[in-house]
């Protein structure tokens, strides 16, 4: 069976045009939209009688790319024409918090992602911005909360990643909280706060600072030295709530519901609810959005009694994310998540088979295949982002693989149970016991990160021509594995069986309707 690439072209085209739209002037983007529309129409008229379906395919790709570029251009136009640029002076603005604060390296300033709702009490079209303020001025914030503050506004820098921001705001006083966050966001904030407090009681200091990051992506108390060790060891994805965390937690819930005898329809509804709740809880980061959309597609396909093939699901997820969040086209985390999933879909199964044929035990072969498949495509991106190459990433990820799922599952259960009832109630007690149960796993994770990532040679700089050599070698490996995969003839047998999780059909059950 061949590889199903039907949505590969549309996804790549959307990604490319949105990235270009973020990097060029607005007028150029509209010219690009017009050119795509004319090209698609011309090809359709010229080849509409063709029996190969080329006309429909190419015209569809052009139309979808034009739509994605149009959405991005409209978002940029709204940001550039925001009234906050015309108001001048030092306006009083009403802001809605849209994310967690990012504390600077000196711990004296913080950047808070916000949405501007009113300027000098005049309601405007909501636009995204960033608020710079001293950490001493920073109130306890939760996404959805409303603040009022006098600011100094200036246009964002000319970086492509900031094209959808209307302004960079500097607080001239202490923000005043004027509106509470929605109840679901307050619930998420309570879960995160109680998990951090419970972990501090149940674990040693370094492990306690790491635990909320592993479970919910909350790295506010993470030790700086440990953070650097994780980066050098290639384990940073574990504290960023990657798509793997999403798949482990949501997939476990969906599987439990299904095994309990729930119907396909009820399983899909509960699965979608769990996915939405998990996204709210961990915040919609780059990889979480990709995994959530991909998992949602898989569940909806299960409702229709169809198999959601992994590659088409990934392509649909990329298109959906870029249409709603165009800034993801230039987000390194999104690129890493997509290419890691692509590597798993294409190469995990043939690598596993090749290892098993050479006498490697099945369990070890699965771990090795998944680690290698994910790193084949992510290594060039990691080098481009950090100018460093982790020499210990593969062994580090293999060593911690057995404990990651245990920490994720027990930690998520502890987070939810700890938020039930009063702070010192039965739920908090059960949560503390669950966290204490992860003590050996946390010790092992810290040992691997310190033992491998703490070495000076663990992540050397890879600048200039050395990066080119690494990229060339990575490309050669990818080509060789692709050829082996084509000869093996798997491809489309890989499907999505859980939220955002590609898996090999030889391992997954084949019951009809299984999500």
């Amino acid at each position: 069976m061949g590889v199903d690439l039907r949505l590969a072209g549309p996804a790549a085209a959307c990604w490319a045009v949105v990235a270009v739209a973020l990097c060029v002037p607005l007028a150029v983007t509209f010219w690009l939209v017009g050119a795509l529309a004319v090209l698609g129409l011309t090809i359709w008229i010229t080849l509409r009688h063709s029996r190969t379906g080329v006309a429909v395919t190419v015209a569809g790709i052009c139309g979808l790319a034009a739509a994605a570029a149009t959405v991005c251009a409209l978002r940029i136009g709204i940001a550039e024409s925001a009234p906050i640029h015309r108001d001048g002076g030092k306006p009083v603005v009403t802001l809605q918090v849209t994310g967690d604060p990012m504390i600077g390296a000196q711990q004296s300033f913080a950047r808070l992602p916000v949405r501007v709702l009113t300027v000098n009490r005049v309601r405007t079209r909501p636009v995204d911005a960033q608020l710079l303020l001293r950490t001493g001025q920073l109130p306890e914030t939760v996404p959805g909360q409303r603040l009022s503050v006098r600011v100094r506004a200036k246009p964002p820098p000319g970086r492509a990643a900031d094209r959808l921001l209307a302004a960079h705001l500097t607080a001239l006083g202490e923000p005043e909280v004027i509106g509470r966050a929605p109840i679901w966001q307050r619930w998420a904030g309570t879960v995160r706060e109680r998990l951090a407090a419970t972990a501090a009681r149940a674990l040693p200091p370094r492990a306690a600072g790491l635990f909320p990051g592993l479970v919910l992506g909350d790295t506010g108390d993470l030790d700086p030295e440990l953070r650097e060790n994780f980066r050098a060891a290639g384990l940073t994805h574990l504290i960023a709530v990657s798509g793997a965390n999403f798949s482990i937690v949501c997939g476990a819930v969906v599987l439990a519901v299904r095994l309990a005898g729930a119907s396909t329809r009820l399983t899909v509804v509960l699965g979608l609810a769990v996915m939405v709740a998990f996204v709210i809880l961990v915040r919609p980061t780059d990889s979480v959005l990709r995994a959530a959309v991909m998992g949602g597609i898989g569940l909806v396909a299960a409702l229709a009694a169809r198999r959601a093939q992994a590659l088409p699901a990934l392509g649909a997820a990329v298109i959906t994310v870029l249409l709603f969040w165009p800034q993801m086209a230039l987000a390194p985390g999104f690129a890493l998540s997509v290419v890691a999933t692509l590597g798993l879909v294409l190469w995990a199964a043939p690598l596993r088979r090749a290892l098993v044929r050479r006498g490697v035990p099945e369990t070890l072969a699965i771990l090795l295949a998944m680690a290698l498949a994910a790193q084949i495509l992510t290594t060039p991106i990691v080098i481009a982002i950090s100018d460093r190459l982790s020499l210990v990433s593969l062994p580090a990820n293999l060593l911690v693989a057995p404990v990651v799922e245990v920490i994720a599952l027990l930690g998520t259960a502890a987070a939810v149970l700890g938020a039930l009832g009063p702070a010192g109630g039965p739920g908090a007690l059960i949560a503390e016991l669950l966290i204490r149960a992860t003590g050996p796993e946390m010790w092992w994770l810290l040992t691997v990160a310190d033992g491998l990532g703490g070495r000076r040679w663990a992540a050397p700089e890879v600048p200039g021509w050395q990066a080119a050599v690494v990229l060339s070698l990575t490309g050669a490996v990818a080509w060789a594995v692709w050829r082996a995969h084509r000869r093996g003839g798997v491809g489309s047998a890989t499907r999505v069986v859980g939220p955002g999780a590609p898996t090999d059909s030889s391992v997954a059950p084949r019951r009809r309707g299984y999500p």
Side-chain angles (χ1 to χ4, degrees):
M1 298 177 68
V3 177
D4 190 343
L5 299 176
R6 286 175 294 177
L7 289 181
C14 286
W15 201 335
V17 299
V18 172
V20 169
L22 292 172
C23 298
V24 301
L26 196 56
V28 177
T29 301
F30 283 115
W31 277 104
L32 176 63
V33 171
L36 287 170
V38 171
L39 176 63
L41 184 61
T42 301
I43 293 175
W44 168 255
I45 293 174
T46 304
L47 302 177
R48 66 182 185 275
H49 298 301
S50 172
R51 295 183 179 180
T52 62
V54 174
V56 175
T57 301
V58 177
I61 291 175
C62 290
L64 195 56
T70 301
V71 170
C72 185
L74 292 175
R75 292 278 300 275
I76 294 173
I78 291 172
E80 292 181 349
S81 62
I84 194 167
H85 293 306
R86 302 192 301 267
D87 191 79
K90 302 173 181 178
V92 176
V93 295
T94 301
L95 308 172
Q96 184 178 52
V97 179
T98 58
D100 296 320
M102 296 162 284
I103 308 297
Q106 303 300 323
Q107 303 291 314
S108 56
F109 287 92
R111 290 190 180 275
L112 186 65
V114 294
R115 183 168 293 122
V116 180
L117 303 179
T118 69
V119 179
N120 288 331
R121 299 185 179 181
V122 176
R123 182 172 293 277
T124 64
R125 186 191 298 270
V127 289
D128 292 327
Q130 277 195 347
L131 177 67
L132 178 67
L133 69 169
R134 294 183 180 275
T135 51
Q137 299 174 320
L138 183 64
E140 292 292 334
T141 57
V142 176
Q145 192 176 49
R146 294 196 178 192
L147 308 174
S148 177
V149 62
R150 185 176 294 277
V151 299
R152 181 184 294 111
K154 62 178 181 180
R159 297 176 302 184
D162 292 332
R163 288 294 300 279
L164 297 181
L165 294 180
H168 275 195
L169 311 175
T170 303
L172 300 179
E174 187 170 343
E176 177 188 359
V177 178
I178 61 173
R180 301 179 69 188
I183 186 171
W184 54 88
Q185 292 289 7
R186 298 202 301 272
W187 168 79
T190 300
V191 171
R192 294 166 73 91
E193 289 175 6
R194 291 194 180 181
L195 181 66
T198 307
R201 294 194 304 268
L203 297 171
R206 294 179 81 231
L210 173 64
F211 191 81
L214 295 172
V215 179
L216 301 179
D218 183 1
T219 59
D221 297 325
L222 183 61
D223 179 65
E225 181 183 358
L226 184 58
R227 185 193 300 270
E228 185 58 35
N229 289 348
F230 262 72
R231 183 179 293 110
L235 300 174
T236 304
H237 61 94
L238 298 180
I239 55 175
V241 186
S242 64
N245 299 65
F246 188 94
S247 300
I248 290 170
V249 175
C250 296
V253 173
V254 169
L255 180 61
V257 170
R258 188 62 173 171
L259 293 177
S263 64
T264 300
R265 186 182 300 275
L266 180 59
T267 302
V268 170
V269 172
L270 291 178
L272 292 174
V274 169
M275 283 192 284
V276 171
F278 193 73
V279 170
I280 293 173
L281 186 58
V282 303
R283 312 295 194 234
T285 58
D286 311 342
S287 57
V288 168
L289 284 175
R290 192 276 312 159
V293 174
M294 193 172 174
I297 292 170
L299 285 175
V300 172
L303 184 62
R306 298 179 60 184
R307 296 297 185 189
Q309 303 296 324
L311 277 179
L314 179 60
V318 169
I319 295 169
T320 303
V321 169
L322 293 175
L323 286 174
F324 285 93
W325 299 278
Q327 65 271 24
M328 292 298 174
L330 298 178
F334 181 68
L336 285 170
S337 177
V338 172
V339 299
T341 304
L342 183 63
L344 289 171
V345 169
L346 292 179
W347 297 318
L351 281 171
R352 177 187 59 78
R353 290 198 304 272
L355 291 170
V356 170
R357 284 198 300 268
R358 286 160 177 79
V360 178
E362 179 76 16
T363 302
L364 180 59
I366 292 174
L367 293 177
L368 279 169
M370 292 183 67
L372 286 170
Q375 291 195 12
I376 286 173
L377 291 180
T378 57
T379 296
I381 299 177
V382 171
I383 295 174
I385 295 170
S386 63
D387 291 329
R388 290 184 177 273
L389 172 63
S390 176
L391 301 179
V392 298
S393 178
L394 180 59
N397 278 278
L398 288 175
L399 288 171
V400 303
V403 304
V404 169
E405 292 190 11
V406 176
I407 296 173
L409 292 174
L410 293 182
T412 304
V416 175
L417 292 173
L420 300 177
L429 177 60
I430 297 174
E432 185 171 342
L433 292 175
L434 289 174
I435 295 176
R436 287 185 183 276
T438 65
E441 289 82 3
M442 293 297 299
W443 171 84
W444 177 245
L445 193 56
L446 289 170
T447 300
V448 172
D450 292 337
L452 295 180
R455 309 296 180 182
R456 292 184 178 180
W457 47 264
E461 293 187 4
V462 188
W465 66 270
Q466 299 176 28
V469 171
V470 174
L471 293 176
S472 300
L473 291 175
T474 303
V477 171
W479 181 84
V481 175
W482 170 258
R483 294 291 298 175
H485 171 67
R486 295 286 290 178
R487 288 196 297 269
V490 179
S492 62
T494 304
R495 56 191 172 83
V496 175
V497 297
T503 185
D504 181 10
S505 59
S506 65
V507 177
R510 293 183 175 273
R511 295 194 301 274
R512 184 173 181 82
Y514 180 79

